[in-house]
Every structure is written in structure tokens, then in C-alpha cells.
């Protein structure tokens, strides 16, 4: 496995954390390339449940090198909160096992404040952001007013760059939002201790990952969020503020995309979505509630109940094709136990359907909001799947469900997941 890239093939929360954690066993280096502390990967090891918002999932394996690439929006306060939390549970992370790109942009308090205010400003057009300042941080990156990890860990540069950034941000806070300004002195006080701690972790992670590749190491690139939340290719504007697919590896990790080999998408056996925006296969009724209850579909970062619905083959095919997936992993198959029939969305029906391919994901959001899902019901099963470890031991209806979907999608399922624990997987 020289390079393996894993991405969410739905709207996020596909169970990437657990799968990536399992795959990380075979990797020497684990790299995050995009997003911020809004990832919320959950990994269950025995009795222990770890929720990682910021750190790469390889961090639970003491011998791996974990890189936070330049494309990640780094929140140093959350990063150290997470590191301290791990230390309290006996997992020590040092600069030997974690490096953070000096070119990664830093999230400050003012980003969080602007995030909340901008969302309020949008009113009914709100996006449903996690409010962690990630979008405003990326906006500053594009506007060339952001501060990077390399600035944060250099006290003189920090003071100078922060003063320049706050001059503009405070004008926005006071004159547009009518809010109190942010005091540079307070920010410096608050961030100085974490800046000092971050210093030894700051590195040129792009050079490190390219060197690891030359040295024949195996590298795992872990995606956060999901393909349908991609800033360019997702359901804009109800998307996250970064690219979530394998394209982010080139820009956000400094690794040449033409060297990527195995690419795995992760998708649940059904669908969920957090936040606003169209979701064609959503089930807003009792069955959807049952999916939420059985699948424990509440956000790992925000605790928000997730919107639930059935597997959307149009969206899944699109996500796998967009990212050149060589295979995919189906998670949460166990959650479907007990549904007499399992509906699957096989196509989109348009009001004016002339010339529209029902199997093609529409490029424009207005169209997606207007489609009606074409649904086919598959036979359900009643057996508990959580202890099954071999494909042959699955009940016939569950096997049929997987094989039928695989045929519909045209990309092989490499792994099935039947429970939150690391070991609850079935190779295909
Ligand atoms: P991520 O952001 O893609 O890593 O997804 P989350 O970790 O937020 O959501 C996945 C949730 O489902 C977590 O609570 C996991 O422990 C749990 N989970 C992962 N795989 C499975 C599975 O196959 N079955 C069940 N029932 N739960 C799973």
C-alpha cells in the first residue's frame, strides 16, 4: 500500500474514523489535508470511545507519523485540548509522531465570532455551519490576510500580522455587525501558551510526505467531511469551506496527485446529512426516525440530530466517479436490521424530465432541490449482523443488498462495517 486515500462519499459522518483507524494499522504515515476541527471522527477501541476533531486518526497508533497538512485550518486551542485529552488517557503525542504544517492557516477567536455572526446574518439562508470559524479562516486565506502556523509560532511576526488582520476584522465587527472589537492584547495572551507549545510540532509537512513516498513508506491520506459537501463539487452553498475529495491531497498536503494509487470511498448503507440543503432520499417520517435511533445518528462534533434517509445511488455513483475510487467501504449495514423492506434511491425524477438522465447527479443545486427520488425497495432481514465477520455468514437478504448495490454502483465494495468497534468489519 504505497498510497491509500480515503474520502467520505456522502454528506460526511460515514464512519470514516473507524475505517481509517483500521487501515492506519498498515500505514507508516497518516495525513490530513483539509477541513478543520469539524471532522468529528469516532473511533471505538474496546471499551474506549475516542472522538477526534482535529488530529489524524493514526494518532491512536503510537508508532505512526501523523501529518496535519497545509490545507487544514488549524485551531491550536482545540488541537491542544485534544492532545491533553489523549495524554490524560495515556496516549502521549510528541513531535516524533505529529507534525503540523507551518503553512497551515490558523483559526482565531475572531474567526469563530465572524462565523456565528455571518450565519445569523444569513437568516433563513443559513448554511448550518459548525460555527468553529473554519469558513472565515479559509476566507482570510484566499484574501491573503490570514495567519499561518509559521506566523503563530514566531512571536514578533504574530504580533505584527495579528495587528494587521484585526484592523480589518474589528472594522467589520464594529461597523457591520455592531459588535465589540477583538483586543489584540487579549488574543496574544490567550494564544501565546499554545503558540509556544506548537513550535516544536511546526514543520514542512509537504517535504516530509514526499520524502516518505520516495523512501517507499506507505501513506494514508484521510479525508474529512464528504464528497457532497465539497466546496466546488458538492451541494453549494450548503457545503463545507474546503475541497473534500482526493483533489485536496495535491493542494492541501503538497503531494503530487498523479502518484495516488488506491482510493477508497466510505458510504453508509443508508444516508444521513447534518445541516441545511437538499437531500433527495431523506425520510422525514417514522422510518427516518427509526434509522436515527438505531444508527445513533447524532453529530459527533455538535450533537445535532442528523437528517436520515435511504441510500442514494445517484449521489454515491457521482462521488465515487468524481474521486476516481478504486473501491468503497459500506458502513452501518447492521443498522438496517429489522426493516422489512429497505428503500434505495435509484434515480432522480425531474418535473420537466425531457432529456434529463435520472441517473446523473445534477450540476446545479436548484435542480437537486426539485428532484423526486425514484425508489426501489429491497428485501430486508431480521438477523443481528454485529457478530458476523465473513460475507458468507450474512443473511441472504443482506448479502443480496450489498451485491445488488455493488452492481448498481459499478465500483467494488472492499469492506463492510457492521458495528462501531474496530474489529466489526467484514472483508469482501
Ligand atoms: P466520520 O466523521 O465519518 O468518522 O463518522 P462519525 O464517526 O461521526 O460517525 C460514525 C458513527 O457511527 C460513530 O458513532 C461510529 O462509532 C459509528 N459507526 C461506525 N461504523 C459503524 C457501523 O458499521 N455500524 C454502526 N452501528 N455504527 C458505526
Amino acid at each position: 500500500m504505497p498510497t491509500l486515500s480515503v474520502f467520505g462519499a456522502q454528506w460526511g459522518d460515514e464512519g470514516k474514523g473507524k475505517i481509517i483507524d483500521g487501515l492506519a494499522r498498515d500505514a507508516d504515515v497518516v495525513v490530513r489535508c483539509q477541513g478543520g476541527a469539524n471532522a468529528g471522527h469516532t473511533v471505538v477501541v474496546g471499551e474506549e470511545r475516542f472522538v477526534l476533531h482535529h488530529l489524524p486518526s493514526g494518532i491512536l497508533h503510537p508508532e505512526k507519523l501523523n501529518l496535519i497538512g497545509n490545507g487544514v485550518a488549524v485551531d491550536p486551542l482545540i488541537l491542544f485540548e485534544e492532545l491533553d485529552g489523549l495524554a490524560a488517557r495515556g496516549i502521549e503525542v510528541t513531535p516524533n509522531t505529529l507534525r503540523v504544517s507551518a503553512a497551515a492557516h490558523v483559526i482565531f477567536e475572531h474567526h469563530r465570532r465572524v462565523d456565528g455572526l455571518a450565519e445569523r446574518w444569513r437568516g433563513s439562508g443559513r448554511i448550518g455551519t459548525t460555527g468553529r470559524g473554519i469558513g472565515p479562516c479559509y476566507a482570510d486565506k484566499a484574501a491573503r490576510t490570514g495567519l499561518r502556523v509559521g506566523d503563530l509560532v514566531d512571536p514578533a511576526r504574530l504580533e505584527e500580522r495579528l495587528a494587521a488582520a484585526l484592523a480589518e476584522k474589528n472594522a467589520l465587527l464594529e461597523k457591520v455587525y455592531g459588535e465589540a472589537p477583538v483586543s489584540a492584547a487579549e488574543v496574544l495572551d490567550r494564544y501565546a501558551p499554545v503558540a509556544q507549545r506548537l513550535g516544536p510540532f511546526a514543520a514542512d509537512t509537504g517535504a516530509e510526505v514526499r520524502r516518505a513516498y520516495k523512501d517507499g513508506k506507505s501513506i494514508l491520506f484521510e479525508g474529512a467531511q464528504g464528497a457532497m459537501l465539497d466546496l466546488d463539487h458538492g451541494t453549494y452553498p450548503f457545503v463545507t469551506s474546503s475541497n473534500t475529495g482526493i483533489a485536496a491531497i495535491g493542494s492541501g498536503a503538497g503531494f503530487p496527485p498523479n502518484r495516488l494509487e488506491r482510493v477508497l470511498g466510505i458510504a453508509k448503507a443508508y444516508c444521513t446529512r447534518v445541516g441545511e440543503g437538499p437531500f433527495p432520499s431523506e425520510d422525514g417520517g417514522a422510518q427516518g426516525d427509526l434509522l436515527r435511533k438505531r444508527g445513533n445518528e447524532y453529530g459527533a462534533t455538535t450533537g445535532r440530530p442528523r437528517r436520515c434517509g435511504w441510500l442514494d445511488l445517484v449521489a454515491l455513483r457521482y462521488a465515487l466517479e468524481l474521486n476516481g475510487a478504486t473501491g468503497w467501504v459500506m458502513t452501518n449495514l447492521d443498522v438496517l436490521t429489522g426493516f422489512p423492506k429497505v428503500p434505495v434511491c435509484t434515480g432522480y425524477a425531474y418535473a420537466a424530465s425531457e432529456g434529463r438522465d435520472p441517473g446523473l447527479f445534477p450540476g446545479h443545486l436548484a435542480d437537486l432541490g426539485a428532484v423526486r427520488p425514484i425508489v426501489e425497495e429491497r428485501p430486508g432481514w431480521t438477523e443481528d449482523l454485529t457478530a458476523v465477520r465473513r460475507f458468507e455468514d450474512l443473511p441472504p437478504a443482506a448479502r443480496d443488498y450489498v451485491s445488488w448495490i455493488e452492481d448498481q454502483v459499478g465500483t467494488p465494495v472492499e469492506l463492510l462495517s457492521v458495528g462501531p468497534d474496530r474489529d466489526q468489519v467484514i472483508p469482501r
Side-chain angles (χ1 to χ4, degrees):
M1 180 189 80
T3 77
L4 168 60
S5 314
V6 179
F7 67 96
Q10 293 169 321
W11 275 276
D13 310 314
E14 297 94 348
K16 295 179 293 296
K18 165 195 154 161
I19 299 298
I20 291 169
D21 177 66
L23 294 167
R25 281 183 247 199
D26 300 326
D28 302 305
V29 185
V30 182
V31 192
R32 268 200 65 181
C33 323
Q34 43 78 223
N38 55 344
H41 290 322
T42 314
V43 184
V44 178
V45 185
E47 296 294 295
E48 293 231 60
R49 187 165 182 268
F50 296 89
V51 181
L52 301 173
H53 298 297
H54 220 337
L55 291 164
S57 305
I59 211 80
L60 299 178
H61 303 261
E63 72 289 5
K64 317 271 179 213
L65 174 61
N66 291 272
L67 301 177
I68 294 184
N70 60 281
V72 175
V74 172
D75 189 321
L77 301 177
I78 298 185
L79 185 72
F80 280 104
E81 207 177 284
E82 213 158 275
L83 287 172
D84 291 343
L86 288 181
R89 295 164 84 172
I91 299 171
E92 287 297 337
V93 177
T94 69
N96 288 330
T97 53
L98 174 70
R99 290 193 202 134
V100 182
S101 170
H105 279 251
V106 178
I107 298 174
F108 285 95
E109 195 52 44
H110 56 265
H111 291 123
R112 260 191 290 263
R113 280 189 55 197
V114 169
D115 209 356
L117 291 165
E119 188 75 338
R120 236 196 288 156
W121 192 265
R122 289 182 199 113
S124 61
R126 68 186 183 280
I127 303 167
T129 84
T130 52
R132 298 190 166 222
I134 298 159
C137 175
Y138 280 127
D140 281 359
K141 173 181 178 174
R144 274 67 51 84
T145 55
L147 276 79
R148 312 206 290 182
V149 166
D151 301 319
L152 179 68
V153 301
D154 174 342
R157 270 189 78 77
L158 172 61
E159 203 169 334
E160 183 196 317
R161 300 271 307 159
L162 186 69
L166 283 183
E168 191 214 6
K169 222 42 95 183
N170 280 337
L172 176 73
L173 284 170
E174 291 182 286
K175 295 183 182 146
V176 175
Y177 293 119
E179 293 275 321
V182 171
S183 140
E186 278 175 26
V187 174
L188 288 174
D189 270 358
R190 183 138 188 241
Y191 282 77
V194 284
Q196 205 183 9
R197 286 181 74 184
L198 191 56
F201 293 94
D204 181 348
T205 53
E208 298 213 20
V209 70
R210 293 191 300 275
R211 180 170 352 110
Y213 181 75
K214 266 193 208 147
D215 292 347
K217 300 266 168 62
S218 28
I219 305 167
L220 170 63
F221 295 97
E222 73 163 89
Q225 294 89 39
M228 309 313 291
L229 298 176
D230 185 278
L231 179 59
D232 286 274
H233 304 287
T235 55
Y236 191 91
F238 302 105
V239 291
T240 195
S241 44
S242 61
N243 289 119
T244 58
I246 63 157
I249 295 168
S251 58
F255 187 81
N258 64 342
R259 297 289 184 273
L260 298 177
E261 287 136 36
R262 192 172 161 215
V263 178
L264 276 187
I266 316 280
K268 282 178 187 159
Y270 51 94
C271 257
T272 62
R273 164 161 210 173
V274 171
E276 313 297 321
F279 177 7
S281 68
E282 181 168 17
D283 187 325
Q287 298 252 88
D289 289 344
L290 204 55
L291 271 179
R292 184 175 311 107
K293 194 163 152 234
R294 294 199 178 147
N296 188 27
E297 296 295 355
Y298 297 88
T301 303
T302 58
R304 280 186 283 188
R306 295 175 183 149
R307 296 159 66 192
C308 294
W310 307 105
L311 190 60
D312 180 338
L313 295 179
V314 184
L316 180 58
R317 259 193 309 261
Y318 168 68
L320 296 173
E321 180 188 301
L322 179 68
N323 289 290
T326 54
W328 63 289
V329 179
M330 186 193 284
T331 60
N332 290 43
L333 184 63
D334 55 300
V335 174
L336 293 181
T337 287
F339 286 93
K341 295 261 188 251
V342 185
V344 176
C345 169
T346 57
Y348 293 161
Y350 295 84
S353 59
E354 270 163 80
R356 304 293 303 249
D357 179 348
L360 214 57
F361 195 77
H364 191 48
L365 184 77
D367 290 337
L368 187 65
V371 301
R372 198 172 41 75
I374 301 167
V375 173
E376 180 166 336
E377 289 190 328
R378 304 300 302 173
W381 59 90
T382 53
E383 295 88 339
D384 176 20
L385 310 184
T386 54
V388 178
R389 296 290 174 273
R390 295 190 322 169
F391 190 72
E392 312 81 88
D393 296 338
L394 283 171
R399 275 200 312 255
D400 285 353
Y401 183 75
V402 175
S403 306
W404 181 79
I405 283 166
E406 203 169 28
D407 276 354
Q408 297 286 313
V409 169
T411 305
V413 174
E414 293 194 13
L415 206 63
L416 294 163
S417 173
V418 289
D421 201 84
R422 256 186 193 177
D423 303 314
Q424 287 175 301
V425 287
I426 302 175
R428 180 86 168 89

